[in-house]
Amino acid sequence: MHSRELIETYQSYVQDWRRHFHKYPELSNEEFETTKTLAKELESMGVEVQVDTERGTGLIGIIRGDKTGKAIALRADIDALPVVEHNTFDFKSTVEGKMHACGHDGHMAILLGAAKMLMDMKDRIEGTVYLVFQPAEETGGGAQNFINFGNWFNEIDAIFGGHVWIDLPAGLVSVEEGPRMAASSLFNINVKGKQGHGAQPHQAIDAVVVASAIVLNLQTVVSRNISALDSVVVTVGNIHSGTEWNVIPGEATMGGTVRFFDPTQEEHIVASIRRIVEHTAAAYGATAEFIYENRVPPTINDTASSALAERVVIDTLGVHKLSKMRKVMPGEDFAWYLREKPGCFAFIGIQNPEIDAVYDHHNNRFTMDDSILSAASAVYAEYAIQWLLENK
Ligand code: NI
């Protein structure tokens, strides 16, 4: 049997699970009930389950094929976001202020569908498939924590995962090689000036003016320090300063993010930001402290894994479902796995204007065409089977 023959069989199964998870969202590192539900469902299929009992969130399902061989992991993330849902469908979030607004409900459903399919095709599996349900993707750190759970990460030889993607029409799949999602870093800037009377600015050092100048000067990091052929983003996302209308504030804080694809550029980008921050402040007689932290490296698909994924998509769904999509600037903690293991991260199209599945990820009206999720399950299952066959 081939995975493509099971797409219809499990279509409503996968769709129902996506809607169930959508109704009961849990935030990063609080996916306790989600974990229990997943464990119960996998056990009911006869899948061996290892729950991270120490944290109470996240689990691994293990499917051993009829023949022995290498091991591959298929990964889904399981957390929701602190977003108030504005959708009105009957499976909308039942928890006020929490919502699966990124599509991780779909990822869990896809992986449950893949588990069903793999259990039906154990005779084709030459090795072991690990089903990885990872907590806390949204807040960062989830993948790094989960790498240290049990021994699964040492045991696997390859990994595959994906993200449902709203910019891609429903049913299309993109698996190109190279950088697919950007590195994600955060920074904080603390400006110190001198507080004073709103009417006597000459006796103060205005932190609002300094912060404003820093924001404007930071616009030259990308436009004047980075090659026009490279993709980099520097965003200041928040500024806080002052509380009164007649007091010049002596302090300001700012926070922001940096995104890039080429890790060798990181040092240069960071040095450029630091230079502008410190010297702009100095030009106004103030000081500024720049604090930088890289959260996620870029997500990079290796050539062989992407080539296999392309063949699997064509073989399972047909050549017309294989899409080309440009890389995107958001980050993804799947990158940590790809730093150490060969693998591929796929984008799965879920956009469908007919059912209003057009709103961006993290929007309070985000939703997806979940009728195509079992096709994604088939791609996951088939990738695992083929990888094990071709890498004996
Ligand atoms: Ni996501």
Side-chain angles (χ1 to χ4, degrees), residues 9 13 15-16 30 50 72 104 123 131 138 142 173 191 204 237-238 243 254 272 286 302 369-371:
T9 312
Y13 172 84
Q15 206 166 13
D16 288 350
E30 298 172 4
Q50 294 175 353
I72 182 166
H104 301 183
D123 57 318
L131 309 164
E138 296 291 355
V173 181
V191 175
N238 67 70
T243 52
M254 291 181 268
S272 302
D302 70 83
D369 183 347
D370 53 18
S371 69

Side-chain angles (χ1 to χ4, degrees), residues 75 77 79 81 101-104 107 137-138 163-165 181 331-332 345 361-362:
R75 176 270 206 171
D77 41 13
D79 52 335
L81 286 157
C102 194
H104 301 183
H107 302 163
E137 191 280 327
E138 296 291 355
H163 207 299
V164 293
W165 208 252
M181 297 185 80
E332 160 64 57
F345 191 72
H361 297 266
H362 297 201

Side-chain angles (χ1 to χ4, degrees), residues 26-28 31 77-81 100 104 135-139:
E26 293 181 297
L27 300 182
S28 310
E31 308 94 334
D77 41 13
I78 67 174
D79 52 335
L81 286 157
H100 270 293
H104 301 183
E137 191 280 327
E138 296 291 355
T139 48

Side-chain angles (χ1 to χ4, degrees), residues 217-218 220-227 268-269 272 275-276:
N217 286 342
L218 283 179
T220 65
V221 173
V222 174
S223 69
R224 287 299 174 267
N225 290 271
I226 305 294
S227 163
H268 174 60
I269 299 167
S272 302
R275 187 185 68 241
I276 287 169

Side-chain angles (χ1 to χ4, degrees), residues 98-130:
K98 298 179 188 177
M99 175 185 174
H100 270 293
C102 194
H104 301 183
D105 47 349
H107 302 163
M108 289 186 269
I110 289 170
L111 202 46
L112 284 180
K116 279 274 189 192
M117 292 174 183
L118 288 165
M119 290 304 279
D120 289 347
M121 299 184 294
K122 278 173 93 169
D123 57 318
R124 288 182 63 212
I125 305 174
E126 302 197 10
T128 309
V129 183
Y130 288 72

